[in-house]
Amino acid sequence: IVHKLSCEAKTELRENFLAIIRQLPVKEPELLAGGLMLLVGGTQAAPHVFCNKGPAASLVPAAEALIDAFTDERVETRA
């Protein structure tokens, strides 16, 4: 049952990404959503592999670079 719930949660997250991405002027929204899912999955796994935050600190700049690759506009960081 845990695996089923995990799959459902990840499917819902991907659908949420797609809903947001489709509002943006991006090329290949499905491919971008998949890339963001890989980044999130890696970020969730990093503490288990590196015993600390490790490369997870790179999530935001990596996501911005990925989004930039699918758009003609630069993504502005909200910090």
Side-chain angles (χ1 to χ4, degrees):
I1 188 149
V2 172
H3 178 67
K4 180 183 178 200
L5 291 174
S6 176
C7 289
E8 289 173 1
K10 288 180 180 172
T11 298
E12 184 177 341
L13 178 60
R14 188 172 189 281
E15 289 171 1
N16 289 340
F17 278 153
L18 274 171
I20 294 167
I21 291 167
R22 287 188 174 127
Q23 297 177 41
L24 303 172
V26 298
K27 303 171 277 192
E28 303 183 74
E30 301 254 346
L31 192 58
L32 176 54
L36 291 172
M37 289 297 297
L38 288 171
L39 285 174
V40 169
T43 300
Q44 292 171 331
H48 302 287
V49 174
F50 295 98
C51 300
N52 61 23
K53 197 170 185 179
S58 302
L59 175 64
V60 171
E64 288 175 345
L66 183 61
I67 294 167
D68 284 347
F70 284 83
T71 65
D72 294 328
E73 300 175 15
R74 170 96 174 98
V75 174
E76 295 297 324
T77 304
R78 294 182 184 162

